[in-house]
């Protein structure tokens, strides 16, 4: 089976930790062939199927020159056994348009994971609001007075933009309210942009856990991203330390409850962020941490993913 990965440029992959690379490696190990393109390489012309200019790859096993291009061609997305959307955020206008092109490719007969409509319908921060019993106190608003009232009630809060990634734009305001006005102005841009506000969860000191859900089932290990020094963010991109741990009963409960909903909507893979016992985000664009969990625990997450993919394609 030929798999197409729609991703960021492979030239920039850090293969020692890249989840998309680990998927490709496992797919090739099983005898599947791997092709890649970027969203900018996808085109749809009147009267035609959705096409992409793709490169066919062979993974060499070399740590430096890790791939060889064995061919370049323009081909319909429907000709692949599966198309995997692995483009990293931000979820900007171009990402949005890419989901529309991929959805048209589905109408042409392509099998796309995660489902393009599901990607559009599940903004990664707002999606948690569908599960009020699994989250801590949370407010989504543009209004500065709403934010001030929320701070007055909860005293210690986290503010973040809805389109941030990797911990970018996250602020903590404690009971003294220091710089709250300035932070609100920075994030809501005089009431023109929406902000998420959450009660600060002190359990962050034990890690922001990434619970992976594959085929509706939680992977038995998570990666706890632990803030370092005075940093409040556990994100690896913000300097957090990743420590793999077995899921708690609560983690497993969260994973199964959310996983059942997401799988029904066409999401083969998701990454649920959990602090303490509360969900803080549901990542569906390009969840990561496969290799970190595998390296630390031996749990073969890439194999679990390709198993689930093959099951969806009726190959198992």
């Amino acid at each position: 089976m030929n798999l197409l990965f729609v991703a960021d440029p492979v030239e920039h992959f850090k293969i020692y930790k890249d989840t998309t690379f680990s998927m490709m490696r496992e797919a090739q190990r099983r005898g599947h062939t791997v092709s890649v393109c970027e969203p900018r390489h996808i085109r749809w012309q009147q009267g035609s199927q959705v096409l992409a200019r793709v490169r066919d790859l062979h993974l060499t096993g070399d740590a430096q020159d890790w791939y060889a291009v064995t061919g370049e061609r323009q081909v319909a997305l429907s000709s692949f056994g599966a198309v995997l959307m692995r483009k990293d955020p931000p979820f900007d206008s171009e990402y949005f348009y890419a989901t529309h092109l991929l959805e048209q490719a589905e109408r042409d007969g392509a099998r796309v994971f995660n489902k393009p409509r599901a990607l559009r319908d599940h903004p990664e921060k707002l999606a948690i609001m569908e599960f009020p019993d699994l989250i801590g106190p949370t407010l989504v608003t543009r209004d500065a007075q709403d934010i001030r009232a929320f701070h007055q009630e909860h005293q210690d809060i986290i503010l973040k933009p809805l389109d941030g990634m990797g911990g970018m734009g996250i602020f903590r305001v404690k009971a003294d309210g220091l710089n709250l006005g300035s932070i609100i102005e920075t994030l809501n841009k005089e009431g023109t942009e929406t902000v998420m506000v959450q009660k600060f969860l002190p359990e962050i000191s034990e890690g922001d856990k990434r619970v992976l859900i594959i085929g509706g089932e939680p992977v038995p290990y998570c990666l706890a991203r632990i803030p370092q020094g005075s940093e409040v963010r556990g994100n690896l991109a913000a300097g957090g330390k990743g420590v793999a741990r077995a899921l708690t009963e609560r983690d497993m409960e969260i994973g199964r409850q959310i996983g059942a909903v997401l799988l029904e909507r066409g999401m083969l893979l998701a990454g649920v962020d959990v602090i303490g016992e509360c969900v803080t985000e549901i990542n569906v664009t390009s969840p990561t941490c496969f290799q970190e969990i595998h390296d630390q625990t031996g749990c073969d997450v890439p194999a679990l993913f390709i198993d689930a993919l093959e099951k969806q394609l009726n190959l198992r």
Side-chain angles (χ1 to χ4, degrees):
M1 176 176 62
N2 192 195
L3 302 178
L4 174 63
F5 290 81
V6 181
D8 290 299
V10 295
E11 293 83 359
H12 300 159
F13 278 24
K14 298 177 180 178
I15 64 169
Y16 67 93
K17 67 173 184 177
D18 192 279
T19 288
T20 303
F21 166 76
S22 73
M23 294 174 175
M24 293 176 175
R25 182 175 57 191
E26 177 62 19
Q28 180 175 286
R29 188 189 71 78
R30 297 188 187 201
H32 303 307
T33 55
V34 171
S35 300
V36 297
C37 75
E38 300 168 38
R40 65 191 177 95
H41 297 139
I42 301 173
R43 65 189 299 266
W44 179 22
Q45 187 168 340
Q46 176 189 12
S48 170
Q49 291 195 11
V50 175
L51 309 176
R53 190 172 71 255
V54 309
R55 291 187 291 172
D56 303 319
L57 300 187
H58 175 74
L59 277 59
T60 64
D62 185 276
Q64 299 299 320
D65 298 319
W66 63 270
Y67 70 91
V69 177
T70 59
E72 296 187 36
R73 56 203 169 106
Q74 185 164 272
V75 61
L77 270 61
S78 61
S79 68
F80 290 92
V83 177
L84 294 98
M85 179 51 159
R86 290 289 303 169
K87 174 71 177 70
D88 284 341
F91 196 108
D92 55 14
S93 296
E94 287 303 319
Y95 194 110
F96 181 80
Y97 300 145
T99 66
H100 280 289
L101 294 179
L102 291 172
E103 190 169 16
Q104 176 59 32
E106 286 185 317
R107 290 190 282 269
D108 295 337
R111 299 290 302 277
V112 183
F113 303 93
N114 285 327
K115 196 172 181 65
R117 179 177 293 273
L119 291 175
R120 285 201 306 277
D121 289 348
H122 287 78
E124 297 187 326
K125 291 180 174 60
L126 281 177
I128 67 171
M129 301 296 276
E130 187 177 350
F131 304 94
D133 57 320
L134 301 182
I135 67 177
T138 302
L139 167 69
V140 178
T141 183
R142 294 185 189 185
D143 189 89
Q145 291 307 311
D146 286 348
I147 297 173
R148 292 184 182 280
F150 188 89
H151 175 259
Q152 184 68 29
E153 178 181 0
H154 297 290
Q155 298 294 297
D156 197 351
I157 64 172
I158 293 290
L159 302 93
K160 52 187 165 182
L162 293 182
D163 60 354
M165 60 171 288
M168 292 175 59
I170 292 179
F171 294 90
R172 179 184 179 184
V173 178
K174 298 182 181 180
D176 58 14
L178 187 64
N179 289 327
L180 178 58
S182 178
I183 292 169
I184 292 172
E185 291 168 7
T186 299
L187 291 179
N188 83 342
K189 294 181 170 56
E190 298 184 354
T192 64
E193 294 192 11
T194 304
V195 180
M196 174 169 277
V197 195
Q198 295 173 302
K199 180 181 179 181
F200 175 74
L201 300 173
E203 294 89 345
I204 184 62
S205 63
E206 301 167 14
D208 179 358
K209 296 177 285 187
R210 166 59 56 84
V211 177
L212 292 168
I213 301 174
I214 297 175
E217 285 293 322
V219 172
Y221 295 89
C222 66
L223 191 75
R225 288 84 48 91
I226 302 171
Q228 300 298 293
S230 60
E231 180 60 69
V232 72
R233 301 169 297 175
N235 309 73
L236 299 182
K241 179 182 179 181
V243 178
R245 296 175 180 161
L247 296 193
T248 66
E249 288 187 14
R250 173 63 171 175
D251 296 335
M252 194 70 73
E253 174 190 340
I254 287 170
R256 287 181 173 147
Q257 183 175 335
I258 293 176
V261 174
L262 297 187
L263 182 62
E264 184 178 346
R265 295 173 182 172
M267 292 196 220
L268 186 64
L269 171 64
V272 177
D273 292 345
V274 180
I275 298 176
E277 297 191 343
C278 296
V279 175
T280 59
E281 291 187 19
I282 301 174
N283 300 274
V284 296
T285 50
S286 58
T288 60
C289 300
F290 278 31
Q291 293 206 69
E292 292 90 341
I293 292 173
H294 186 198
D295 291 345
Q296 293 185 39
T297 70
C299 178
D300 197 340
V301 188
L304 294 176
F305 177 77
I306 299 298
D307 284 346
L309 178 64
E310 291 177 341
K311 182 178 179 180
Q312 287 289 308
L313 298 171
N314 298 317
L315 298 179
R316 296 182 67 84

